[in-house]
Amino acid sequence: MPETASTTRAPDALLPSLTPLLHEWLPRQRWFAGKGRRVTGFTLEAATELLPLDGPGPGLLHLLVRVEQPGRPAGAPADCYQLLLGVRTQLPPRLAPALIGRIRQGPLAGRAVYEGLRDPRLAGLLYERLRTPGRTGPLRFHATTALPPAPAPRMLDAEQSNSSLVYGDSFILKIFRRVSPGANPDLELPLALAGAGCARVPAPVAWFESGASTLGVLQPYLRDSRDGWRLALDALADGREFTAEARALGRATAEVHLALAQALPTRRLQRSETEQLAAAMDRRLHAAAQAVPALMPYVPGLRAVFAAASGADGGSAVQRIHGDLHLGQTLRGSDGGWAVIDFEGEPAKPLDERRSPQPTVRDVAGMLRSFDYAARTHRPWNADWAARCRAAYCTGYAEAAGTDPRTDPALLRAYETDKAVYEVVYEARHRPDWLPVPMSAIERLSTSR
């Protein structure tokens, strides 16, 4: 049954009044995963008044809403989204860009509804709620340490699949928009790493959840850091090498993997599992070649890459990993040290898959592809720069891990190839001008041995 912390309005009357606004607003949000498919209905999972809607000031309404859309797999539940809606009688001009619309009927008729995270007062309230662990309706708030009073909040505009609030220069709160039952890896893994004493990842200081679903995580904000992607582009623009930074990043990645192996279970990959991995990669290649005919001439060589991985003896370690590692998921501090962030994995994949143990070379392959992408932004294309960074990264990884990822070449090449195939489809659909970036990797991987 739907839950509500409010005793002043019924959830079954609330959702119909919001439905016309959500139909228009939700599909336009960057974090909405169902773009291109029509919305056929909504189901309210939970409604919580974090700030009363009938008070003199703004109200804050927390919703978990399932969005019905055609085309989902049989038996799969509709996507569930987390919404934080501000409600006011009159919306100040400074909040006009956050307006979702005015409700015409129902318990909130005549009120303005807007994106609550863009209202500093409501964003501050969310932080204050994290400072005082406990329950509000179906929501549970947790903290690992005493938090100071709320610094001034601001909403970041760079997020894609989630939303983030930064409080002063002290903390960042990531709010998961599409939620699933189960611990989100972006809370689970940083907590495990903190317990293992790994300083490469900002440790969560607070979070909130509903049922088994993680809704948001508060972590220290690394205000003096810059992300690895921007640093790599700056090095290319200035004609500088990036091998020292890449080598240090390789060491940082290995330290994270070692800490995860210490904190969480590991096992060995069976030969049958290797065959299944390679078969799944082969299926994705077949589908990609149908979607992007430019792949067709390379299919035999790419299938040979997957066949080589399938024929490996197994025995590689599998463990929890980052799952979506690239330069943009790293931060370098003013002291030169690297941090790794955003452990959510690939948000489009099911949560169970993102939480499953995998070979560490999958993370390595993702970073190797990222160096290629950075190098391709340079004119003319600086392929040698990427090759030197890739080698330095693997060397640094080997220095910290004690094993070089290049000593498992079949599986590493398979994961890098699988990633490049995915990139080809993505670029063909969304950024055709970038298609040469993964296609150059496809040519290299399909012919080199």
PDB file of all heavy atoms in Angstrom, residues 75-90:
ATOM      1  N   GLY A  75       7.122  -8.852 -17.120  1.00  0.00           N
ATOM      2  CA  GLY A  75       7.358  -9.112 -15.707  1.00  0.00           C
ATOM      3  C   GLY A  75       8.225  -8.085 -15.011  1.00  0.00           C
ATOM      4  O   GLY A  75       8.319  -8.093 -13.784  1.00  0.00           O
ATOM      5  N   ALA A  76       8.872  -7.219 -15.764  1.00  0.00           N
ATOM      6  CA  ALA A  76       9.741  -6.201 -15.156  1.00  0.00           C
ATOM      7  C   ALA A  76       8.884  -5.058 -14.611  1.00  0.00           C
ATOM      8  O   ALA A  76       7.946  -4.609 -15.272  1.00  0.00           O
ATOM      9  CB  ALA A  76      10.731  -5.656 -16.173  1.00  0.00           C
ATOM     10  N   PRO A  77       9.181  -4.580 -13.404  1.00  0.00           N
ATOM     11  CA  PRO A  77       8.389  -3.470 -12.854  1.00  0.00           C
ATOM     12  C   PRO A  77       8.669  -2.171 -13.588  1.00  0.00           C
ATOM     13  O   PRO A  77       9.727  -1.991 -14.192  1.00  0.00           O
ATOM     14  CB  PRO A  77       8.851  -3.396 -11.396  1.00  0.00           C
ATOM     15  CG  PRO A  77      10.241  -3.951 -11.414  1.00  0.00           C
ATOM     16  CD  PRO A  77      10.244  -5.017 -12.479  1.00  0.00           C
ATOM     17  N   ALA A  78       7.703  -1.272 -13.540  1.00  0.00           N
ATOM     18  CA  ALA A  78       7.910   0.057 -14.109  1.00  0.00           C
ATOM     19  C   ALA A  78       8.987   0.785 -13.327  1.00  0.00           C
ATOM     20  O   ALA A  78       9.198   0.544 -12.133  1.00  0.00           O
ATOM     21  CB  ALA A  78       6.604   0.839 -14.078  1.00  0.00           C
ATOM     22  N   ASP A  79       9.704   1.689 -14.009  1.00  0.00           N
ATOM     23  CA  ASP A  79      10.747   2.470 -13.347  1.00  0.00           C
ATOM     24  C   ASP A  79      10.141   3.336 -12.246  1.00  0.00           C
ATOM     25  O   ASP A  79       9.083   3.951 -12.425  1.00  0.00           O
ATOM     26  CB  ASP A  79      11.468   3.373 -14.352  1.00  0.00           C
ATOM     27  CG  ASP A  79      12.385   2.596 -15.280  1.00  0.00           C
ATOM     28  OD1 ASP A  79      12.781   1.483 -14.904  1.00  0.00           O
ATOM     29  OD2 ASP A  79      12.703   3.117 -16.366  1.00  0.00           O
ATOM     30  N   CYS A  80      10.844   3.402 -11.110  1.00  0.00           N
ATOM     31  CA  CYS A  80      10.416   4.214  -9.971  1.00  0.00           C
ATOM     32  C   CYS A  80      11.348   5.411  -9.846  1.00  0.00           C
ATOM     33  O   CYS A  80      12.576   5.250  -9.841  1.00  0.00           O
ATOM     34  CB  CYS A  80      10.425   3.376  -8.698  1.00  0.00           C
ATOM     35  SG  CYS A  80       9.839   4.260  -7.230  1.00  0.00           S
ATOM     36  N   TYR A  81      10.771   6.605  -9.739  1.00  0.00           N
ATOM     37  CA  TYR A  81      11.560   7.830  -9.663  1.00  0.00           C
ATOM     38  C   TYR A  81      11.307   8.557  -8.349  1.00  0.00           C
ATOM     39  O   TYR A  81      10.193   8.547  -7.811  1.00  0.00           O
ATOM     40  CB  TYR A  81      11.219   8.771 -10.824  1.00  0.00           C
ATOM     41  CG  TYR A  81      11.708   8.254 -12.154  1.00  0.00           C
ATOM     42  CD1 TYR A  81      10.891   7.450 -12.944  1.00  0.00           C
ATOM     43  CD2 TYR A  81      12.985   8.551 -12.605  1.00  0.00           C
ATOM     44  CE1 TYR A  81      11.348   6.952 -14.156  1.00  0.00           C
ATOM     45  CE2 TYR A  81      13.442   8.066 -13.822  1.00  0.00           C
ATOM     46  CZ  TYR A  81      12.624   7.265 -14.588  1.00  0.00           C
ATOM     47  OH  TYR A  81      13.079   6.775 -15.779  1.00  0.00           O
ATOM     48  N   GLN A  82      12.365   9.195  -7.855  1.00  0.00           N
ATOM     49  CA  GLN A  82      12.293  10.004  -6.652  1.00  0.00           C
ATOM     50  C   GLN A  82      12.132  11.471  -7.049  1.00  0.00           C
ATOM     51  O   GLN A  82      12.946  12.015  -7.795  1.00  0.00           O
ATOM     52  CB  GLN A  82      13.574   9.826  -5.817  1.00  0.00           C
ATOM     53  CG  GLN A  82      13.627  10.722  -4.607  1.00  0.00           C
ATOM     54  CD  GLN A  82      14.876  10.541  -3.772  1.00  0.00           C
ATOM     55  OE1 GLN A  82      14.926  10.961  -2.619  1.00  0.00           O
ATOM     56  NE2 GLN A  82      15.910   9.920  -4.334  1.00  0.00           N
ATOM     57  N   LEU A  83      11.088  12.109  -6.535  1.00  0.00           N
ATOM     58  CA  LEU A  83      10.804  13.506  -6.824  1.00  0.00           C
ATOM     59  C   LEU A  83      10.749  14.280  -5.518  1.00  0.00           C
ATOM     60  O   LEU A  83      10.186  13.809  -4.525  1.00  0.00           O
ATOM     61  CB  LEU A  83       9.467  13.660  -7.561  1.00  0.00           C
ATOM     62  CG  LEU A  83       9.232  12.763  -8.780  1.00  0.00           C
ATOM     63  CD1 LEU A  83       7.852  13.037  -9.366  1.00  0.00           C
ATOM     64  CD2 LEU A  83      10.303  12.984  -9.835  1.00  0.00           C
ATOM     65  N   LEU A  84      11.326  15.471  -5.506  1.00  0.00           N
ATOM     66  CA  LEU A  84      11.222  16.374  -4.366  1.00  0.00           C
ATOM     67  C   LEU A  84      10.617  17.674  -4.872  1.00  0.00           C
ATOM     68  O   LEU A  84      11.291  18.459  -5.559  1.00  0.00           O
ATOM     69  CB  LEU A  84      12.593  16.606  -3.723  1.00  0.00           C
ATOM     70  CG  LEU A  84      13.106  15.374  -2.980  1.00  0.00           C
ATOM     71  CD1 LEU A  84      14.318  14.786  -3.665  1.00  0.00           C
ATOM     72  CD2 LEU A  84      13.435  15.716  -1.531  1.00  0.00           C
ATOM     73  N   LEU A  85       9.337  17.870  -4.585  1.00  0.00           N
ATOM     74  CA  LEU A  85       8.568  18.956  -5.161  1.00  0.00           C
ATOM     75  C   LEU A  85       8.328  20.043  -4.133  1.00  0.00           C
ATOM     76  O   LEU A  85       7.826  19.790  -3.034  1.00  0.00           O
ATOM     77  CB  LEU A  85       7.222  18.440  -5.677  1.00  0.00           C
ATOM     78  CG  LEU A  85       7.280  17.266  -6.668  1.00  0.00           C
ATOM     79  CD1 LEU A  85       5.877  16.878  -7.107  1.00  0.00           C
ATOM     80  CD2 LEU A  85       8.147  17.609  -7.871  1.00  0.00           C
ATOM     81  N   GLY A  86       8.694  21.257  -4.488  1.00  0.00           N
ATOM     82  CA  GLY A  86       8.337  22.406  -3.681  1.00  0.00           C
ATOM     83  C   GLY A  86       6.922  22.835  -4.023  1.00  0.00           C
ATOM     84  O   GLY A  86       6.475  22.704  -5.167  1.00  0.00           O
ATOM     85  N   VAL A  87       6.218  23.360  -3.034  1.00  0.00           N
ATOM     86  CA  VAL A  87       4.835  23.815  -3.228  1.00  0.00           C
ATOM     87  C   VAL A  87       4.703  25.189  -2.582  1.00  0.00           C
ATOM     88  O   VAL A  87       4.998  25.367  -1.395  1.00  0.00           O
ATOM     89  CB  VAL A  87       3.825  22.823  -2.601  1.00  0.00           C
ATOM     90  CG1 VAL A  87       2.395  23.335  -2.795  1.00  0.00           C
ATOM     91  CG2 VAL A  87       3.984  21.437  -3.202  1.00  0.00           C
ATOM     92  N   ARG A  88       4.262  26.190  -3.359  1.00  0.00           N
ATOM     93  CA  ARG A  88       4.058  27.552  -2.861  1.00  0.00           C
ATOM     94  C   ARG A  88       2.789  28.132  -3.453  1.00  0.00           C
ATOM     95  O   ARG A  88       2.385  27.774  -4.569  1.00  0.00           O
ATOM     96  CB  ARG A  88       5.236  28.463  -3.242  1.00  0.00           C
ATOM     97  CG  ARG A  88       6.559  28.201  -2.529  1.00  0.00           C
ATOM     98  CD  ARG A  88       7.608  29.157  -3.056  1.00  0.00           C
ATOM     99  NE  ARG A  88       8.923  28.976  -2.460  1.00  0.00           N
ATOM    100  CZ  ARG A  88       9.473  29.811  -1.585  1.00  0.00           C
ATOM    101  NH1 ARG A  88       8.805  30.885  -1.182  1.00  0.00           N
ATOM    102  NH2 ARG A  88      10.685  29.585  -1.112  1.00  0.00           N
ATOM    103  N   THR A  89       2.226  29.080  -2.725  1.00  0.00           N
ATOM    104  CA  THR A  89       1.094  29.824  -3.282  1.00  0.00           C
ATOM    105  C   THR A  89       1.577  30.769  -4.368  1.00  0.00           C
ATOM    106  O   THR A  89       0.996  30.854  -5.461  1.00  0.00           O
ATOM    107  CB  THR A  89       0.379  30.604  -2.171  1.00  0.00           C
ATOM    108  OG1 THR A  89      -0.057  29.688  -1.159  1.00  0.00           O
ATOM    109  CG2 THR A  89      -0.841  31.336  -2.724  1.00  0.00           C
ATOM    110  N   GLN A  90       2.667  31.474  -4.087  1.00  0.00           N
ATOM    111  CA  GLN A  90       3.285  32.355  -5.065  1.00  0.00           C
ATOM    112  C   GLN A  90       4.754  31.984  -5.193  1.00  0.00           C
ATOM    113  O   GLN A  90       5.450  31.833  -4.188  1.00  0.00           O
ATOM    114  CB  GLN A  90       3.151  33.820  -4.640  1.00  0.00           C
ATOM    115  CG  GLN A  90       1.720  34.326  -4.570  1.00  0.00           C
ATOM    116  CD  GLN A  90       1.068  34.376  -5.934  1.00  0.00           C
ATOM    117  OE1 GLN A  90       1.750  34.564  -6.945  1.00  0.00           O
ATOM    118  NE2 GLN A  90      -0.252  34.216  -5.977  1.00  0.00           N
TER     119      GLN A  90
END
